Amino acid sequence: MRKSLTLIAAALLSAGAAQAANYTVDPTHTFATFEISHFGASVNRARFDKKEGTIEFDRAAKTGKVDISLDMTSVNSGTAAFDKHLQSADIFNAAQFPKARFVSDKFVFNGDKVAEVQGQLTLLGKTQPVSFKANQFNCYQSPMLKREVCGGDFEATIDRAAFGVNYGIDWGFPKNVRIVLQVEAVKQ
């Protein structure tokens, strides 16, 4: 009897583990942008054109893992001079720290939908906890790719000074920066 219970438990555990699926971030449907107030008159915005990552997602167990990297040299504000300044040692120091990375193994659900992803953001060599709230999330069968795709729109507000990005604070630029992450990942 004891052996039968052990086999049943092992089968249930392995069945649950088999439910987790691996996804690769689709860079053509994934956009990472940031926004910061400019003297209260306007909002500066930019995006990162090069990004990559993987996601492990188990809808039934309501678990997941995320590992997304941004190429800091690919920052794009639409203005070459501003991009150069963003990449400089004043702000992102892209020469010394060419990647930013978000890693998570904590998904928070509201019913069957992902509501939040809690993890660690590394920027300028410093790592801080960050929670990305889901504004929307869905999985669907892609008619073009013939595979499942999961994704959503997420946002977080960070204190840039916690990462050592202090440029302009003395002039009145805010410490808070809004990050918006639209991500879609294709099941492998």
Side-chain angles (χ1 to χ4, degrees):
M1 177 73 169
R2 179 175 237 144
K3 188 175 181 181
S4 296
L5 289 175
T6 303
L7 289 174
I8 291 170
L12 288 172
L13 287 174
S14 65
Q19 301 262 342
N22 294 316
Y23 298 78
T24 300
V25 169
D26 177 357
T28 63
H29 288 93
T30 299
F31 298 93
T33 61
F34 69 87
E35 302 175 352
I36 185 169
S37 178
H38 189 255
F39 293 107
S42 63
V43 176
N44 284 336
R45 293 178 174 91
R47 70 175 191 225
F48 297 93
D49 289 336
K50 294 180 183 173
K51 55 271 172 190
E52 62 186 9
T54 58
I55 297 171
E56 184 180 299
F57 184 56
D58 186 336
R59 213 177 345 221
K62 297 185 178 180
T63 61
K65 294 182 181 182
V66 173
D67 190 340
I68 296 179
S69 294
L70 305 175
D71 181 338
M72 302 307 283
T73 66
S74 74
V75 67
N76 182 349
S77 67
T79 305
F82 187 38
D83 295 346
K84 187 175 179 180
H85 188 222
L86 288 169
Q87 291 178 36
S88 76
D90 282 346
I91 302 176
F92 293 133
N93 197 0
Q96 187 175 351
F97 301 101
K99 297 256 185 215
R101 185 175 179 204
F102 179 72
V103 177
S104 170
D105 63 0
K106 175 76 173 156
F107 283 33
V108 177
F109 281 74
N110 181 2
D112 289 335
K113 297 282 186 179
V114 174
E116 188 174 5
V117 178
Q118 301 170 353
Q120 302 289 318
L121 176 64
T122 302
L123 179 65
L124 291 166
K126 294 178 178 65
T127 303
Q128 298 289 327
V130 173
S131 293
F132 280 91
K133 292 182 183 175
N135 294 323
Q136 62 185 45
F137 181 86
N138 192 41
C139 294
Y140 66 95
Q141 186 66 28
S142 170
M144 295 172 65
L145 300 174
K146 308 292 187 227
R147 287 192 270 172
E148 183 180 61
V149 175
C150 291
D153 282 352
F154 297 85
E155 69 177 86
T157 299
I158 64 167
D159 175 353
R160 65 187 175 100
F163 296 93
V165 183
N166 298 312
Y167 181 82
I169 291 173
D170 293 342
W171 299 339
F173 289 126
K175 291 181 182 181
N176 287 344
V177 176
R178 181 175 177 242
I179 301 172
V180 178
L181 180 60
Q182 169 194 334
V183 62
E184 290 194 21
V186 181
K187 188 174 182 179
Q188 299 305 298

